[in-house]
Amino acid sequence: MPDLEAALRARRDGGGRAFVPYVTGGLPGVDADLLRGLEEAGADAVEVGIPFSDPVMDGGVIQEASRLALEEGTRPADVLATVKEAGLSVPVAVMTYFNPVLSRGPGDFLADAAQAGVSGAIVPDLPVDEADDWITACSKVSIAPVFLAAPGSTTERLASIAASAGGFVYCVATYGVTGERDRLAGTAQEVVLALRPLTDLPLLVGVGIGTPAQASEACAFADGVIVGSALVRRLVDGDPDGALAMAGKFRAAIGPA
Amino acid sequence: MKAAETTALPDARGRFGRFGGRYVPEVLIPALDELTAAWEELQDEPAFRGELEALLRDFVGRPSPLTFASRLSDRLGYRVYLKREDLNHTGAHKINNTLGQVLLARRLGKGRIIAETGAGMHGVATATACALFGLPCVVYMGEEDTVRQAPNVARMQLLGAEVVTVTSGSRTLKDAMNEAMRDWAGSVRETHYVIGSVAGPHPFPSLVRDLQRVIGDEAKVQFRDAEGRDPDAVVACVGGGSNAMGIFAPFVGAPGTRLVGVEAGGRGDADGEHCRSLTLGAPGVLHGSLSYLLQDGDGQVLATHSISAGLDYPGVGPEHSYMKEAGLASYVSATDAQALEGFQALGELEGILPALEPAHAVGWLLGGPLPEGSTVLVNLSGRGDKDMETVRRALGEPPSDRPRRA
């Protein structure tokens, strides 16, 4: 499977910025074709959500997407099957909450993911202090454990996050949950600048990047952006073509693929 | 040795054995660190303790009485005592916790308070504490609960709180807590989240236990005054489990006293029909801690049902999970029907209409599960005013505007 960190580093080393779209797995319209469409639209990596019943880090759009996906009967294995079927040449990271991981068992969950070609895993309610076993399990199957850094994280915590993370560091742009905002929060740059001296890992900004202009603004200081709700909103509305067109606009705004 | 073992918990990482912890987004960690440090510093500080104790005495009306339930005792062949948390100001044990946490929030310089509520008692108690100190208060409440506990919505509003109706998920306590956590993630710099039970990420389970143990500390002395010894059994209902932890705390590990937590058995054992996390669930992570949880084979949280909104929750505080596995307490259940029997029995035999939550504890006792002659301490955690319509409907009575009989 493609290496998440290497792919994002290569983009940075080439002077570009990374575009990582997020979609909720199992949501109607999120099939292998859509994942391939995101790659064709210029994604450097694709983040695929495994829906959870109680997504406390997510705002209204991704909550609704998760609800719809679960209503369809989506199981973690279904999402992984879609990832495998898509067979992307760019890396795929899965995002889910800790309870589905714990329910399967972290080792088995990661083995299933690796089998499907997943390169990275993001678990927003698993802070680095609780993640020793998780990090060990990730290293066994060469899946990068992506951790979140947030506004308000102390320098000690940022150092610990940087030392534990693989793939990239997910820099949470703002206080709050996922969802589009009117403007890019000033805290986004603060998090990235605080992390820079602590790590050479790619630093990607996510949460609240709602427009191509905001993405472009974030890419002035970050190595790339993660864009979720702005795409998922269109998928929830039953408009996968609109989501792909939007992905293309984000790609164009932050630089050529 | 067991008593020392439990007072030492949680450990520095917020663990009760393998349970507890802090499974929350990174953005909340600084606030949890700050709260942990503040509580460690303030819990024994004389000025803080003095301020809290004065409020509990002069505003809440503590100590709450211990009532010997003589006719119920005669019926059961036990000696049953009721710890009367229903007589507290605001009508339940919840105020013990909210006053403590709002005092803490003031020391932390937080100018806004949020809370979740199920039955509404915690919401009312939080709104009350906020009114007392002039702090803005937002209470998240599931839509289903705003209907079945409508009087408490009005109370909160009259106390100046904003009640936000939560329409996501099952529209009950779990979803109210999700929404409160989302608010907190965005507002954490200026807002304190007053969690109402011994649940949530560290330090909440031990913070809320410490603030609620006044129930058990008083009851232990009162019971010894009455009976000259400790009770054979201490019985309390368990949803998240704060009233149970509060009354259990001083008895944990004491030889000769059995601690019994009564979960809501709802309509039966099928998925979605009950709230028996400790007796039918499996360890999982919800709302920031590892504890017993009602979940499906993929780790999705299951829907729950209880006639009592305050117990209608798929998880439970992590210290209860620890006590279950360590054999320090036993956990049983009472169905909706048993709770209604408990409600009626206390009304008809003792002149007390309890909340439907502690009615589960009484309903379990009606089955005669203890040896003849047992002495029993029951936590009567709240009063039943909020449940009148629910009870009338469940018992098949006509609505409240029925004509008077001649």
Side-chain angles (χ1 to χ4, degrees):
Chain A
M1 59 198 168
D3 185 293
L4 181 60
E5 183 180 332
L8 299 174
R9 249 178 215 289
R11 170 66 70 184
R12 181 173 67 185
D13 293 347
R17 297 289 179 266
F19 169 53
V20 179
Y22 162 91
V23 291
T24 304
L27 178 65
V30 179
D31 51 17
D33 282 344
L34 184 98
L35 298 186
R36 286 191 285 258
L38 290 169
E39 178 173 329
E40 283 158 23
D44 291 280
V46 176
E47 182 186 343
V48 181
I50 293 175
F52 178 52
S53 54
D54 294 83
V56 294
M57 184 69 195
D58 286 305
V61 169
I62 295 175
Q63 283 178 50
E64 180 63 4
S66 303
R67 188 187 71 77
L68 290 168
L70 291 172
E71 206 173 78
E72 291 290 310
T74 302
R75 304 188 58 182
D78 300 328
V79 177
L80 295 177
T82 303
V83 169
K84 188 169 189 175
E85 186 194 342
L88 303 188
S89 56
V90 297
V92 172
V94 289
M95 178 275 183
T96 192
Y97 287 82
F98 193 47
N99 202 51
V101 173
L102 198 60
S103 169
R104 178 80 175 103
D108 288 342
F109 178 91
L110 287 163
D112 293 349
Q115 188 72 33
V118 166
S119 306
I122 306 168
V123 185
D125 61 344
L126 187 68
V128 68
D129 335 52
E130 301 284 1
D132 288 353
D133 293 347
W134 171 248
I135 292 165
T136 306
C138 283
S139 73
K140 279 188 187 150
V141 290
S142 301
I143 286 184
V146 176
F147 286 100
L148 277 61
S153 297
T154 59
T155 307
E156 292 74 21
R157 290 195 61 81
L158 290 176
S160 167
I161 289 162
S164 305
F168 65 95
V169 180
Y170 192 129
C171 301
V172 177
T174 184
Y175 287 93
V177 295
T178 60
E180 299 155 79
R181 308 288 203 281
D182 291 340
R183 58 189 181 82
L184 181 68
T187 41
Q189 186 169 12
E190 291 168 25
V191 175
V192 171
L193 294 185
L195 270 165
R196 274 290 178 221
L198 302 173
T199 181
D200 191 43
L201 280 171
L203 305 179
L204 271 58
V205 169
V207 178
I209 306 285
T211 66
Q214 290 168 0
S216 165
E217 196 185 333
C219 284
F221 52 83
D223 301 324
V225 291
I226 301 142
V227 177
S229 296
L231 306 176
V232 174
R233 181 159 57 82
R234 289 165 171 84
L235 294 166
V236 166
D237 291 343
D239 182 15
D241 292 341
L244 289 174
M246 197 64 195
K249 287 179 189 166
F250 275 99
R251 173 75 267 174
I254 65 177
Chain B
M1 111 40 202
K2 276 184 170 175
E5 175 189 326
T6 50
T7 46
L9 294 176
D11 65 18
R13 296 178 62 240
R15 295 277 173 173
F16 304 89
R18 64 178 172 139
F19 297 106
R22 296 195 306 191
Y23 296 93
V24 294
E26 175 66 23
V27 70
L28 294 177
I29 297 284
L32 297 174
D33 281 340
E34 178 188 52
L35 186 62
T36 304
W39 180 237
E40 273 171 19
E41 183 191 329
L42 290 175
Q43 61 181 322
D44 297 318
E45 186 200 277
F48 183 85
R49 282 240 70 92
E51 191 175 6
L52 180 56
E53 281 163 16
L55 282 169
L56 291 176
R57 182 186 65 233
D58 304 332
F59 185 68
V60 176
R62 301 207 73 90
S64 65
L66 186 73
T67 301
F68 177 59
S70 64
R71 296 183 66 213
L72 180 66
S73 293
D74 286 348
R75 151 115 48 124
L76 297 177
Y78 306 149
R79 294 183 61 75
V80 179
Y81 289 81
L82 307 172
K83 180 59 172 166
R84 300 294 305 280
E85 294 298 298
D86 61 315
L87 295 179
N88 291 339
H89 178 47
T90 71
H93 70 294
K94 296 293 190 186
I95 190 84
N96 304 324
N97 170 45
T98 62
L99 285 171
Q101 285 203 46
V102 169
L103 283 181
L104 256 177
R106 277 161 52 90
R107 293 291 192 103
L108 290 169
K110 305 282 186 182
R112 176 175 175 265
I113 299 293
I114 59 172
E116 85 293 340
T117 199
M121 301 310 280
H122 174 60
V124 167
T126 305
T128 298
C130 288
L132 191 61
F133 292 108
L135 291 170
C137 177
V138 177
V139 180
Y140 290 91
M141 189 170 189
E143 188 175 39
E144 181 178 333
D145 293 337
T146 61
V147 173
R148 60 178 163 171
Q149 310 278 215
N152 275 341
V153 176
R155 282 190 190 102
M156 288 183 268
Q157 289 168 336
L158 289 167
L159 289 160
E162 179 191 348
V163 180
V164 178
T165 301
V166 176
T167 56
S168 57
S170 57
R171 307 176 183 211
T172 57
L173 177 54
K174 165 183 81 93
D175 311 285
M177 201 154 172
N178 287 343
E179 213 49 45
M181 290 189 82
R182 291 184 186 115
D183 178 318
W184 205 30
S187 63
V188 63
R189 282 166 296 180
E190 69 277 2
T191 297
H192 176 65
Y193 176 17
V194 179
I195 291 184
S197 194
V198 287
H202 177 65
F204 284 102
S206 50
L207 167 62
V208 177
R209 172 200 66 196
D210 293 347
L211 290 168
Q212 289 294 2
R213 80 169 276 153
V214 64
I215 304 170
D217 286 338
E218 286 176 8
K220 187 171 186 175
V221 172
Q222 291 167 319
F223 200 95
R224 284 184 177 179
D225 286 348
E227 287 284 322
R229 55 193 288 271
D230 286 342
D232 296 319
V234 181
V235 184
C237 64
V238 176
S242 71
N243 92 85
M245 265 331 298
I247 200 161
F248 288 174
F251 298 102
V252 173
T257 299
R258 181 181 169 199
L259 306 179
V260 182
V262 184
E263 296 193 302
R267 293 181 289 236
D269 292 352
D271 283 354
E273 295 294 309
H274 59 84
C275 306
R276 296 178 56 186
S277 43
L278 286 163
T279 48
L280 291 175
V285 167
L286 178 69
H287 297 148
S289 58
L290 176 66
S291 193
Y292 274 78
L293 178 64
L294 293 168
Q295 53 185 318
D296 72 11
D298 289 334
Q300 307 295 349
V301 179
L302 288 170
T304 53
H305 163 79
S306 171
I307 192 171
S308 133
L311 304 181
D312 201 347
Y313 183 67
V316 66
E319 193 166 9
H320 285 295
S321 293
Y322 168 74
M323 296 213 302
K324 171 193 158 83
E325 292 200 347
L328 292 166
S330 52
Y331 295 90
V332 298
S333 67
T335 62
D336 287 355
Q338 286 174 294
L340 283 165
E341 286 168 22
F343 181 95
Q344 289 176 288
L346 266 198
E348 290 164 12
L349 297 173
E350 300 297 338
I352 297 168
L353 297 177
L356 281 170
E357 290 80 10
H360 284 74
V362 179
W364 178 75
L365 271 182
L366 291 179
L370 300 172
E372 178 89 20
S374 293
T375 56
V376 187
L377 170 63
V378 177
N379 196 4
L380 192 54
S381 57
R383 66 186 178 218
D385 308 35
K386 69 187 173 63
D387 294 319
M388 286 303 111
E389 282 308 306
T390 302
V391 170
R392 295 170 78 103
R393 266 199 311 279
L395 295 177
E397 292 284 313
S400 56
D401 59 351
R402 65 180 173 170
R404 241 169 6 140
R405 268 175 268 173

